[in-house]
Amino acid sequence: QQQVKQSPQSLIVQKGGISIINCAYENTAFDYFPWYQQFPGKGPALLIAIRPDVSEKKEGRFTISFNKSAKQFSLHIMDSQPGDSATYFCAASRLQSGNQGGKLIFGQGTELSVKP
Amino acid sequence: DGGITQSPKYLFRKEGQNVTLSCEQNLNHDAMYWYRQDPGQGLRLIYYSQIVNDFQKGDIAEGYSVSREKKESFPLTVTSAQKNPTAFYLCASRSRVQGNLYEQYFGPGTRLTVT
């Protein structure tokens, strides 16, 4: 119930293409879904996040699509660039302050490589 | 310069030795977290603290200990009881964005190698 399943494990995309990473969750109490980007040897950086009251959120080339009924959410990277090559993690959490301090449950990660 | 500082960046220890990883933040965040990252796996929560002098076990607390004596500091000790301590350790803190919406921010990590 606490798991977040992420796919694919690795992804190779040509420059200018669309990168799509998918996540699925089981716990319907989750109400916050962030995506993190991590470069080798660095800590993850918050990229974009969504609440379940909207079906889509866009920030620049990055878009989260959220399907509440299917309990799935995905990250789309438009016009992918070599500089986007990194590991991407989805996560889920319950925002209620009394619940384990906003503990994030992370997916397994997707290693994205954008070829020039 | 605000942020989360972890030191050292690389740490080498012999098996059987305890080792303490440092995490400091000057963001005035109440909540702090320790995660462990292994190749090909997501981040797994070791311990977290919502307030000074209080902390809770995460999913993989066995073999680890923490303290939270100051708001700014949340050190993690990897004890000799941890069976497989070699990993990348990440510290994070949490800020309130608005209402009950919070965001977690990560430090640069410490890579611990135990031989």
Side-chain angles (χ1 to χ4, degrees), chain A residues 38-95:
Chain A
Q38 184 181 31
F39 293 104
K42 306 292 185 184
L46 180 64
L47 191 62
I48 186 173
I50 197 168
R51 299 288 305 276
D53 51 347
V54 296
S55 60
E56 187 176 280
K57 183 174 181 180
K58 184 175 181 179
E59 290 185 3
R61 296 184 294 110
F62 300 91
T63 300
I64 299 179
S65 296
F66 185 80
N67 186 329
K68 190 173 181 178
S69 60
K71 292 185 286 185
Q72 295 176 348
F73 58 110
S74 59
L75 176 69
H76 296 235
I77 305 175
M78 312 300 287
D79 186 28
S80 299
Q81 299 296 313
D84 297 331
S85 297
T87 299
Y88 292 81
F89 292 97
C90 63
S93 173
R94 291 180 64 185
L95 287 175

Side-chain angles (χ1 to χ4, degrees), chain B residues 11-19 78-82 85-86 112-115:
Chain B
L11 191 54
F12 298 89
R13 278 296 182 269
K14 293 290 187 184
E15 197 172 307
Q17 292 179 336
N18 291 356
V19 60
V78 184
T79 75
S80 57
Q82 168 49 232
T86 295
L112 173 64
T113 302
V114 177
T115 57

Side-chain angles (χ1 to χ4, degrees), chain B residues 3-96:
Chain B
I4 304 171
T5 304
Q6 290 186 246
S7 60
K9 188 173 176 62
Y10 299 97
L11 191 54
F12 298 89
R13 278 296 182 269
K14 293 290 187 184
E15 197 172 307
Q17 292 179 336
N18 291 356
V19 60
T20 297
L21 281 59
S22 169
C23 178
E24 304 278 332
Q25 54 99 359
N26 61 4
L27 302 167
N28 199 35
H29 291 170
D30 286 317
M32 297 185 73
Y33 306 79
W34 274 106
Y35 292 88
R36 170 184 172 135
Q37 185 176 19
D38 295 283
Q41 296 192 39
L43 283 67
R44 293 181 291 167
L45 183 64
I46 304 172
Y47 267 98
Y48 64 101
S49 168
Q50 296 190 65
I51 199 167
V52 173
N53 292 323
D54 185 53
F55 48 83
Q56 288 81 39
K57 293 182 179 180
D59 300 317
I60 55 166
E62 186 175 349
Y64 299 98
S65 66
V66 293
S67 62
R68 186 85 187 279
E69 297 176 2
K70 299 186 300 182
K71 188 175 186 177
E72 302 79 17
S73 179
F74 191 39
L76 173 74
T77 297
V78 184
T79 75
S80 57
Q82 168 49 232
K83 299 300 181 190
N84 187 18
T86 295
F88 189 46
Y89 289 88
L90 288 157
C91 178
S93 66
R94 187 182 70 160
S95 72
R96 170 179 280 172

Side-chain angles (χ1 to χ4, degrees), chain A residues 27-40:
Chain A
N27 189 345
T28 54
F30 288 147
D31 56 3
Y32 175 64
F33 303 90
W35 284 89
Y36 284 83
Q37 178 189 57
Q38 184 181 31
F39 293 104

